[in-house]
Amino acid sequence: MNDAILVLNGGSSSLKFAVFQQRDDLHLLVRGSISSIRQRPRLHVAPTALSSGIDRSLGAGSIDIASAFEVVGSLLADRGLLRQIGKVGHRIVHGGQSFSKAAILDAETTKALHLLEPLAPIHQAINLEIVSLAARLLPDALQVGCFDTAFHARRPELAKLYGLPREFSEQGVVAYGFHGLSYSHVATKLRSRYGASAGGRVIVAHLGSGASLCAMKTGASVATTMGFSTLDGLIMSTRCGTVDPGVILYLLQDQKLSLGELSNLLYEESGLLGVSGISGDMQTLLGSSDPAAARAVDLFIYRVGREIGSLAAALGGLDTLVFTAGIGEHAPVIRQKICEAAEWLGVAVDNDLNQNDEGLVSSPQSRVDVLVIPADEEAAVAREILDV
């Protein structure tokens, strides 16, 4: 039997994986991750009905994505799962203008995706390296790419355009939006809860080391805070978020930064880390008594609150607010402060319910449903593969 689907979700410092069996629905066989690849990597495997849990260190030094993949391959082989895998689904951050739905990753498609590496420099190359590794490990399995940009592809044209000469938009310099697989999973959960309305006018806050917001109507993307690249929108763990383009010109012309230095500054040295000078990790900042940590947290909340207002304007109101991803799921104090910033929209959170990591957390007086929905990009990838 080769009816199992392996899902691989690689990031700049982690590799998540899951194996699902195709039945009437998807049945989870194993799920896990290798985190902190760059420093003190750790293997975590969640317990399931057919799998015991694991939580162990992989050493004090860093490993690369190929070494992390080898650990995953060995674990799946030890559990007899490799021979059951007929399809491998890959989360790929950027699909450009050509890929608005899941695609078989043949040589031509992979070549086209490599050309998009400059648009997602800290993700795309890693995603495609994992494709190559998986193809060598499972040469008979169908390799399928699922794209973070695809969920936003059907937004109105005005939500995609920049105020640049037309030839640039025709060349692909438009707002793409990201975290689409996470938003797709949330939309599925909202349809299960509310039916076809999917919660009506919804703002989803995907708040993790990468962070963005998405405005949805009946489960479809209307607007989102990330644009041409994953640098745009909210400040993030180490990424800057939206800055005046004049700042970029100043850094190049007056500060004489090279392109490499500028890229490293915007992607790796900014955001919560840059503002605080302490850490890009939200839990670390929340636990610090340093005023610089508080300033970074306050800026994060301010920017999220301001963008909620912008997206509510695009929706013409707000019926449902959803929190997901690491910060969104596991930082009740951040959720509370964001809801306080959105109080003018009728948002009110129940302090006791808000201590939960899942479910409805709004108060009975709230005009807006506030939900916490755990992220599951792997399940979203597996569902897309069923249609290929």
Side-chain angles (χ1 to χ4, degrees):
M1 295 289 289
N2 60 348
D3 60 347
I5 298 171
L6 168 62
V7 178
L8 297 167
N9 179 356
S12 58
S13 62
S14 67
L15 174 59
K16 299 177 184 177
F17 60 94
V19 179
F20 300 88
Q21 193 167 46
Q22 295 177 244
R23 296 180 180 172
D24 294 336
D25 198 358
L26 293 168
H27 177 66
L28 180 66
L29 299 180
V30 64
R31 178 195 297 277
S33 65
I34 299 177
S35 60
S36 303
I37 287 175
R38 296 181 184 180
Q39 54 180 1
R40 300 184 181 278
R42 193 166 194 88
L43 171 65
H44 175 77
V45 179
T48 64
L50 300 177
S51 172
S52 58
I54 298 173
D55 187 11
R56 63 179 173 86
S57 170
L58 297 177
S62 65
I63 60 174
D64 58 18
I65 199 69
S67 299
F69 181 83
E70 186 176 344
V71 172
V72 173
S74 297
L75 183 142
L76 298 179
D78 291 343
R79 300 185 180 211
L81 291 174
L82 284 183
R83 62 178 178 269
Q84 300 181 40
I85 295 168
K87 298 176 182 176
V88 183
H90 299 268
R91 176 203 173 206
I92 296 179
V93 166
H94 217 304
Q97 293 184 306
S98 300
F99 300 99
S100 58
K101 61 181 180 179
I104 295 172
L105 295 171
D106 55 22
E108 183 178 354
T109 297
T110 303
K111 181 179 179 181
L113 293 172
H114 273 295
L115 296 177
L116 298 173
E117 286 183 24
L119 279 64
I122 64 174
H123 294 99
Q124 194 84 348
I126 290 173
N127 297 159
L128 295 175
E129 182 180 356
I130 293 170
V131 173
S132 178
L133 293 166
R136 289 202 294 270
L137 179 66
L138 296 161
D140 297 325
L142 186 68
Q143 307 288 328
V144 181
C146 301
F147 306 98
D148 259 342
T149 50
F151 184 75
H152 305 291
R154 293 173 181 82
R155 283 175 301 149
E157 183 187 30
L158 294 182
K160 302 177 185 180
L161 292 177
Y162 291 116
L164 295 170
R166 182 175 178 178
E167 59 263 29
F168 290 102
S169 61
E170 292 174 347
Q171 294 168 18
V173 183
V174 295
Y176 291 97
F178 298 89
H179 293 136
L181 291 167
S182 177
Y183 294 132
S184 175
H185 171 71
V186 169
T188 298
K189 291 295 184 181
L190 290 175
R191 290 188 192 98
S192 297
R193 185 182 184 98
Y194 295 104
S197 73
R201 298 166 299 180
V202 178
I203 293 176
V204 183
H206 176 105
L207 307 179
S209 58
S212 68
L213 304 178
C214 179
M216 292 193 265
K217 280 186 179 178
T218 60
S221 177
V222 173
T224 187
T225 56
M226 278 184 174
F228 177 73
S229 76
T230 58
L231 283 174
D232 201 9
L234 308 176
I235 71 164
M236 295 166 245
S237 176
T238 63
R239 282 174 262 169
C240 60
T242 299
V243 296
D244 182 342
V247 173
I248 308 302
L249 295 176
Y250 169 77
L251 294 173
L252 289 171
Q253 295 171 351
D254 292 76
Q255 294 295 309
K256 308 299 182 185
L257 266 64
S258 69
L259 291 177
E261 289 170 334
L262 179 62
S263 178
N264 192 63
L265 172 69
L266 299 178
Y267 277 103
E268 303 290 350
E269 298 176 351
S270 298
L272 295 174
L273 172 63
V275 173
S276 71
I278 297 169
S279 174
D281 178 70
M282 180 61 79
Q283 295 296 342
T284 300
L285 296 176
L286 289 173
S288 173
S289 59
D290 193 315
R295 181 171 61 243
V297 172
D298 289 346
L299 179 58
F300 180 84
I301 293 164
Y302 167 75
R303 292 295 295 273
V304 173
R306 197 174 76 174
E307 292 296 339
I308 285 175
S310 172
L311 294 184
L315 290 168
L318 182 63
D319 301 310
T320 308
L321 175 63
V322 180
F323 291 93
T324 191
I327 298 171
E329 294 171 35
H330 304 302
V333 65
I334 298 298
R335 291 198 298 264
Q336 180 180 346
K337 290 183 177 182
I338 290 171
C339 288
E340 289 171 356
E343 188 176 0
W344 64 278
L345 286 165
V347 175
V349 70
D350 183 283
N351 292 333
D352 292 330
L353 292 176
N354 188 44
Q355 297 307 309
N356 299 327
D357 290 337
E358 185 173 356
L360 185 72
V361 299
S362 48
S363 71
Q365 294 75 34
S366 181
R367 298 198 304 272
V368 174
D369 283 355
V370 182
L371 301 169
V372 180
I373 297 178
D376 196 345
E377 293 164 322
E378 294 75 43
V381 169
R383 281 193 295 270
E384 288 196 17
I385 287 177
L386 293 178
D387 296 331
V388 175

